[in-house]
Amino acid sequence: MENDNNNNHQAKLVIAPAKSAISTILSNLIIQSCHRALQQSTIFTIALSGGSLPTFLQELPDAFSKANIDPQWDKWHVLLADERCVPSSHEDSNLGAIRTHFTNGVGIPPSQIYGIDETLLGSSEDVAASYQDNVVKYLLDKKKSTDDDGKIDCALLGFGPDGHTCSLFPNHKLLSEQNRLVASIDDSPKPPPSRITLTLPFLNKCCRQIMFCGAGESKRPIIQAVFTDVEKANNNAVKHDDSVLGAKVALVALCHPAPYPCGMVHGCGDDDSLIWLVDEDACS
């Protein structure tokens, strides 16, 4: 487990009225994150998970248009929160899913969408080391040269019914990683077994904002375990302004010690640095 005194960390819990509303609400939150970043910097950096998460991004281009905001796609830099050690053309590739559901339909330069080095696929450790040195550290240095914060602007993550996030799984030794920003895993409990993943040190120290996104009854036990008194928070949640489009919002405290990997991600502790967007089925 990450050695961090996270008993005082809080998250903004955004509760969508239904799963169908999540894409619209998420799009608005990303627009805010992008707008803030580009007011302070010349680039917007975002880490994306794979799985079902990229499908929530399909409404994002239209959301920018409806908000009458120029997304400035040419300033976007997209990195992977985790990736399976397969070619990008493989059905298991997170980059492939991100391209299909999001980046193929927008104007982000391909050179600013950072996949793994597929020439290194024989060794997940080499893939991870390359991604850390040539992508993650490169983007952190680029941010440091353009603003005072020097952090990745946003990490958009999912979480599984087992509580994993990225490729950080319950009771795995990677949860104790202290130094590496990107690590390899060859014994993933979910196929395929070989992957790379952003680590807890990266997520908790190098990201300005973390957004978790999930929906459905299968996520309810995780929500109830990760936060203190979710039922009370849900009952006391208030309708927010149009930044979350009618969703209910509550501040919730993270349980300590964290019962699952997703609960070990607490961000940098600033206002709005940790947002969990879920639907009513995941909270009720």
Side-chain angles (χ1 to χ4, degrees):
M1 185 178 297
E2 187 197 16
N3 183 19
D4 185 271
N5 296 320
N6 68 334
N7 50 318
N8 295 320
H9 291 290
Q10 289 187 318
K12 178 182 285 187
L13 182 64
V14 181
I15 307 168
K19 180 179 179 179
S20 59
I22 284 183
S23 291
T24 302
I25 296 169
L26 179 62
S27 293
N28 208 349
L29 291 170
I30 294 173
I31 288 172
Q32 292 177 56
S33 182
C34 176
H35 183 66
R36 280 196 303 268
L38 292 179
Q39 284 185 318
Q40 302 173 33
S41 172
T42 58
I43 62 173
F44 175 60
T45 49
I46 183 168
L48 299 178
S49 288
S52 61
L53 196 62
T55 61
F56 288 121
L57 299 174
Q58 291 174 310
E59 291 186 18
L60 185 56
D62 286 342
F64 270 108
S65 296
K66 290 177 182 177
N68 198 28
I69 295 175
D70 180 4
Q72 302 181 73
W73 298 120
D74 60 312
K75 297 181 179 180
W76 283 51
H77 292 256
V78 178
L79 65 155
L80 304 176
D82 69 322
E83 180 59 294
R84 292 81 180 266
C85 289
V86 297
S88 59
S89 58
H90 194 281
E91 63 181 2
D92 288 331
S93 169
N94 285 342
L95 178 59
I98 290 167
R99 284 173 173 166
T100 297
H101 296 291
F102 175 45
T103 60
N104 282 353
V106 300
I108 302 173
S111 62
Q112 293 170 199
I113 303 169
Y114 302 91
I116 59 175
D117 184 344
E118 296 181 16
T119 68
L120 302 175
L121 283 175
S123 167
S124 61
E125 188 173 342
D126 289 346
V127 174
S130 171
Y131 206 78
Q132 174 176 279
D133 293 342
N134 299 318
V135 176
V136 172
K137 288 185 176 180
Y138 164 74
L139 289 176
L140 289 173
D141 287 343
K142 195 172 183 67
K143 286 297 292 184
K144 289 174 185 175
S145 70
T146 60
D147 64 39
D148 294 333
D149 191 84
K151 293 181 174 67
I152 298 300
D153 295 300
C154 182
L156 180 57
L157 310 178
F159 61 103
D162 62 350
H164 86 274
T165 189
C166 301
S167 284
L168 300 169
F169 293 94
N171 304 313
H172 196 277
K173 62 183 180 181
L174 280 186
L175 300 180
S176 299
E177 177 60 46
Q178 296 292 315
N179 299 310
R180 289 177 295 176
L181 304 180
V182 183
S184 61
I185 174 173
D186 289 309
D187 56 353
S188 167
K190 293 182 63 178
S194 294
R195 302 159 175 240
I196 67 164
T197 182
L198 298 177
T199 61
L200 290 174
F202 175 85
L203 295 170
N204 288 331
K205 297 175 182 177
C206 301
C207 292
R208 181 180 296 173
Q209 186 174 57
I210 305 281
M211 297 183 195
F212 279 98
C213 188
E217 293 181 3
S218 68
K219 306 299 176 70
R220 187 184 304 162
I222 303 302
I223 296 293
Q224 292 175 339
V226 166
F227 299 112
T228 62
D229 208 347
V230 170
E231 183 177 355
K232 180 180 179 181
N234 191 7
N235 291 336
N236 294 337
V238 297
K239 293 287 185 180
H240 208 267
D241 58 32
D242 62 359
S243 65
V244 285
L245 301 178
K248 295 189 298 183
V249 178
L251 283 178
V252 287
L254 292 170
C255 286
H256 180 76
Y260 296 110
C262 58
M264 298 176 189
V265 178
H266 51 73
C268 298
D270 301 327
D271 291 344
D272 286 345
S273 66
L274 181 61
I275 296 174
W276 281 63
L277 170 59
V278 298
D279 65 350
E280 283 279 4
D281 286 343
C283 280
S284 57

